[in-house]
Amino acid sequence: MANAETTQGRRALITGVTGQDGAYLSRLLLEKGYRVHGLVARRGSDALWRLRELGVAGEVKLLTGDVTDISSLLRALEQAQPAELYNFAAQSFVDKSWDLPAVTAQVTGMSVVNALEAIRCTDPKIRFYQASSSEIFGPARTPMQDETTAFHPRSPYGVAKAFGHLMTINYRESHGLHASSGILFNHESPLRGIEFVTRKITFGVARIKRGKQQKIQLGNLEAKRDWGFAGDYVEAIWRMLQQPKGDDYVIATGRSASVRDFCRIAFAHAGLDYERHVEVDQSLLRRADINALLGNAAHAKQALGWSPKTSLEELVAMMVDADLARIDKGAIA
Ligand code: NDP
Ligand code: GDP
């Protein structure tokens, strides 16, 4: 495994650098002495808020580009000259993927080919990480899912991720690239997008606690997810690219909880009873939901020496406290 001495000055390129995982990985790599470049599509008005929250916005060299445009990626590789490329960019919200199936296929699926081709054509020694997802498994037909579990994606997002996953394996096998796919189960943090259920809940708890609203509306309360902390998961991602060869790894906690459980823990952390504040809105139910996901990360533990450090209770507390602090500072309404 590389150590801080061997990674000093190493160069990395991160697509999706302004997202949750992009921010945590940027911080981790900078701590290890990397020179971090990030591809930014520059659509939002305050794209850099996560990098700012982690105190690394000034240290990441930003390159403008879109992963659906292969010339952006070729230019970014030329500018960054990276030893490692982490491909996080995606239309990452499952629910939106039913409204935007073709966009999701392009951004979440086809862009993986763009990244792999860009590597193959410029410098095949660049190590590649693909942000794969437990969504490729679909409805649980085995109690736990691992690298051998069959795919049955339930959303256009899941289908696009399955394509990216298989393409990554294909470039490893056909072109000998050092390409790895991390099949990450849901991972959250105070930097999670507000549209995802965990952050919707913790933001709602904070607003209710501060008297700004009374209720939150949710969809399926019985869906179960294996929720981990994004800060733990980027360490696993980095370790994948330090191995002698590319491979696929499930990254998960091995504990699954329902949306209802998440509500119970989050409201209780703020001294509130979720049953008084959570309402089910039928319009938020999905066209096809995944009832339960639970990951077996034994391979990552054995090969990478990785295991999660943060419990669900610690994660929820961190998220609720961060949203309370943001409201108290006036950083969000
Ligand atoms: P986010 O949604 O927080 O970040 C996605 C990033 O991709 C954003 O920076 C976004 O920029 C960028 N992006 C979107 N479209 C493009 C584009 N066309 N060109 C360039 N950049 C683009 O996701 P996370 O950080 O949570 O997740 C990282 C990756 O891991 C994603 O691929 C996600 O699908 C995957 N994943 C995440 C899981 C999770 O639980 N978090 C679980 C499994 C997989 P902008 O904000 O400007 O749109
Ligand atoms: P996903 O696992 O990547 O789809 O992450 P989400 O956080 O978007 O959804 C996790 C689970 O929470 C899914 O089973 C959703 O159906 C369920 N859920 C229940 N209510 C909501 C809600 O209001 N918003 C979202 N995003 N998900 C919800």
Side-chain angles (χ1 to χ4, degrees):
M1 183 84 65
N3 58 35
E5 242 161 62
T6 55
T7 55
Q8 197 65 36
R10 195 184 286 174
R11 302 165 76 97
L13 173 64
I14 304 174
T15 73
V17 74
T18 57
Q20 170 187 263
D21 293 5
Y24 281 105
L25 183 70
S26 292
R27 185 175 68 179
L28 181 80
L29 296 184
L30 288 164
E31 283 165 4
K32 292 181 186 297
Y34 278 66
R35 292 164 71 179
V36 179
H37 293 70
L39 192 76
V40 187
R42 290 194 199 279
R43 277 182 302 263
S45 55
D46 188 19
L48 303 187
W49 71 270
R50 294 184 173 93
L51 293 170
R52 264 202 311 278
E53 276 215 15
L54 296 188
V56 296
E59 293 174 70
V60 176
K61 174 126 181 51
L62 300 176
L63 307 172
T64 302
D66 189 306
V67 287
T68 59
D69 171 17
I70 193 168
S71 68
S72 290
L73 286 160
L74 289 166
R75 215 169 28 248
L77 290 184
E78 196 183 310
Q79 289 170 337
Q81 302 275 320
E84 297 167 9
L85 167 56
Y86 296 88
N87 187 36
F88 289 161
Q91 190 302 94
S92 66
F93 188 33
V94 169
D95 207 29
K96 198 164 143 192
S97 74
W98 279 286
D99 297 328
L100 296 174
V103 168
T104 304
Q106 287 295 330
V107 179
T108 306
M110 260 309 287
S111 66
V112 183
V113 181
N114 287 344
L116 288 161
E117 271 299 289
I119 288 178
R120 192 176 72 83
C121 297
T122 53
D123 178 3
K125 289 193 302 306
I126 297 170
R127 295 183 175 197
F128 178 73
Y129 171 81
Q130 168 56 18
S132 192
S133 164
S134 52
E135 290 286 323
I136 63 180
F137 298 131
R141 284 166 300 173
T142 50
M144 291 186 97
Q145 296 82 52
D146 64 19
E147 295 81 4
T148 64
T149 302
F151 299 172
H152 186 139
R154 290 269 273 180
S155 61
Y157 169 84
V159 174
K161 281 291 181 191
F163 174 80
H165 181 82
L166 292 170
M167 273 295 176
T168 302
I169 294 171
N170 186 263
Y171 272 68
R172 185 165 75 221
E173 293 179 353
S174 331
H175 300 294
L177 295 193
H178 190 300
S180 290
S181 210
I183 309 172
L184 269 59
F185 282 59
N186 296 50
H187 46 283
E188 319 294 314
S189 75
L191 304 184
R192 187 62 145 146
I194 201 88
E195 63 275 32
F196 294 91
V197 76
T198 55
R199 182 77 203 295
K200 183 174 172 182
I201 294 167
T202 63
F203 183 48
V205 167
R207 292 195 87 242
I208 290 168
K209 183 71 181 171
R210 293 296 183 250
K212 290 174 177 286
Q213 70 186 60
Q214 277 303 308
K215 305 275 183 195
I216 56 173
Q217 282 75 38
L218 297 174
N220 182 3
L221 297 184
E222 310 315 328
K224 288 185 158 180
R225 291 291 183 274
D226 180 333
W227 279 300
F229 172 46
D232 292 347
Y233 284 28
V234 295
E235 172 69 30
I237 290 171
W238 175 74
R239 289 185 185 205
M240 289 177 208
L241 294 208
Q242 311 316 309
Q243 303 309 305
K245 284 195 202 145
D247 201 350
D248 307 319
Y249 302 89
V250 159
I251 301 297
T253 69
R255 171 181 170 188
S256 152
S258 66
V259 173
R260 184 185 296 282
D261 295 330
F262 195 101
C263 288
R264 188 180 295 114
I265 300 168
F267 277 90
H269 181 69
L272 300 167
D273 176 2
Y274 85 97
E275 293 194 78
R276 298 188 49 207
H277 300 284
V278 172
E279 289 175 347
V280 171
D281 176 346
Q282 300 291 324
S283 72
L284 295 173
L285 297 176
R286 293 192 173 165
R287 289 167 178 84
D289 209 349
I290 297 179
N291 52 337
L293 286 168
L294 178 60
N296 174 0
H299 176 48
K301 185 169 187 189
Q302 185 269 322
L304 307 176
W306 178 88
S307 10
K309 296 196 176 83
T310 312
S311 72
L312 180 61
E313 286 73 15
E314 288 166 339
L315 170 65
V316 176
M318 189 195 315
M319 293 177 71
V320 171
D321 291 346
D323 278 326
L324 283 167
R326 285 176 179 133
I327 290 178
D328 294 344
K329 275 193 286 189
I332 45 174

